[in-house]
Amino acid sequence: MQLGMIGLGRMGAGMVRRLLRGGHQCVVFDLSPDPVRQLTGEGATGTASLEEFVSTLRTPRAAWVMLPAGPPTEQTVMALAGQMGSGDIIIDGGNSYYKDDVRRATAMQGRGIHYVDVGTSGGIWGVERGYCLMIGGERGAVSHLEPIFKTLAPGHGNIPRMPGREQRISTAEEGYLHCGPPGAGHFVKMIHNGIEYGLMQAYAEGFDILRNADSTALHEGHRYDLNVADIAEVWRRGSVIGSWLLDLTAMALAEDPTLSNYTGFVHDSGEGRWTIMAAIEEAVPAEVLSASLYARFRSRQGHTFAEKLLSAMRQRFGGHLEHPS
């Protein structure tokens, strides 16, 4: 299947590579010519302008936008809509706010253009591991794109089937899911990232307590000089708190137990804030997720080992760099 990809950063370029390996044809465009040249050398069809990009796609066109949420995505989606026609599909695979998806989908509907939002998780590792995809949009458009989703997703892999799901028909076990109408995909991804904040904060605080066990009197004066890198490693093996995030934590600590390469400045990309806003709108208590968001705000004023670990985790799974004030 042919797919156009706009935005060839850490994730966009990786997705193109995974699609090319899966036998799909990819038309690519980016404001920077370097990744376009590189992917053209790997088998993609490079274009030098948005106009050339659209004209190179075969109808019905399918164009995937993989750009930062906000103005970059908004401007690109609307520019695409001005050049595409009835039956074409615009996919936003970034981390857009779900209410923006609903608005854009309504605007596209009058032109006969289908709008699909895809919450995409997998970070810089997705090209090899596959991407978990949470999809919103009209069923017909989503079905048309299923070969793309199937290639990008991890598939069954070596994860055992969950008992009780034998009779259920769902693509969830493949790693992609049509969650509902426009906006539903990014809504689910938004909550996913809010939970991610909470999980990361729990690991960060726990390891901070371990690291400080030698500087604070515990149990009637006993102090412990603990090897946090080894503790992370042993927890990876059979522990109930084992996870991919713990794997990445162990990797960072193995390379640098003091995390001296990190300041502890922890950025937030929006989804955590939007999750708390949704919780407020729904009157759902979300104490842990709220606290984890506020901890990131606090990290920009002073830094602890916990915040260095948060920053290390973000760099490991998503290639996110610190943004010092």
Side-chain angles (χ1 to χ4, degrees), residues 18 31 39 50 75 78 86 120 164 199 211 217 228 236 280:
R18 189 170 175 89
L31 291 178
L39 287 169
L50 197 64
Q75 293 165 11
M78 299 314 294
S86 180
T120 308
L199 291 173
R211 179 177 176 272
V228 292
R236 293 180 61 220
I280 293 171

Side-chain angles (χ1 to χ4, degrees), residues 223-235:
R223 296 185 180 186
Y224 304 115
D225 183 12
L226 301 173
N227 187 319
V228 292
D230 281 354
I231 292 169
E233 185 61 31
V234 77
W235 282 352

Side-chain angles (χ1 to χ4, degrees), residues 5-9 28-36 47-49 53 66-67:
M5 179 71 72
I6 299 178
L8 306 176
V28 298
F29 172 65
D30 192 279
L31 291 178
S32 172
D34 291 338
V36 174
T47 58
S49 67
F53 172 84
M66 203 67 186
L67 295 170

Side-chain angles (χ1 to χ4, degrees), residues 82-273:
Q83 299 184 44
M84 297 175 77
S86 180
D88 291 342
I89 305 172
I90 296 176
I91 308 117
D92 176 8
N95 282 323
S96 290
Y97 188 37
Y98 76 98
K99 291 184 179 181
D100 289 335
D101 293 317
V102 175
R103 172 178 53 79
R104 292 176 194 143
T106 301
M108 304 297 158
Q109 192 173 27
R111 310 183 193 187
I113 299 172
H114 305 289
Y115 182 90
V116 175
D117 54 286
V118 182
T120 308
S121 182
I124 57 178
W125 300 82
V127 63
E128 301 297 339
R129 291 169 54 100
Y131 301 88
C132 175
L133 305 174
M134 297 144 269
I135 307 161
E138 303 165 13
R139 187 167 298 278
V142 172
S143 296
H144 177 77
L145 295 169
E146 188 149 8
I148 296 295
F149 299 142
K150 195 173 184 67
T151 299
L152 289 173
H156 282 277
N158 58 2
I159 299 176
R161 191 165 207 181
M162 185 66 63
R165 292 194 63 94
E166 295 83 0
Q167 305 304 317
R168 297 190 185 186
I169 301 175
S170 172
T171 60
E173 292 179 325
E174 296 283 341
Y176 67 98
L177 181 67
H178 182 201
C179 300
H186 276 148
F187 184 85
V188 174
K189 177 58 162 50
M190 176 183 77
I191 305 304
H192 164 285
N193 283 25
I195 292 171
E196 179 185 291
Y197 279 33
L199 291 173
M200 292 172 68
Q201 187 66 28
Y203 282 127
E205 291 178 8
F207 278 99
D208 205 3
I209 296 169
L210 292 171
R211 179 177 176 272
N212 283 284
D214 66 343
S215 61
T216 304
L218 297 171
H219 305 297
E220 299 179 353
H222 293 290
R223 296 185 180 186
Y224 304 115
D225 183 12
L226 301 173
N227 187 319
V228 292
D230 281 354
I231 292 169
E233 185 61 31
V234 77
W235 282 352
R236 293 180 61 220
R237 304 177 184 279
S239 166
V240 72
I241 62 168
S243 71
W244 185 37
L245 275 176
L246 182 59
D247 293 345
L248 299 173
T249 298
M251 185 187 303
L253 290 171
E255 290 185 6
D256 180 8
T258 65
L259 302 179
S260 58
N261 291 326
Y262 299 92
T263 66
F265 183 102
V266 186
H267 190 58
D268 73 286
S269 53
E271 300 89 343
R273 301 185 190 210

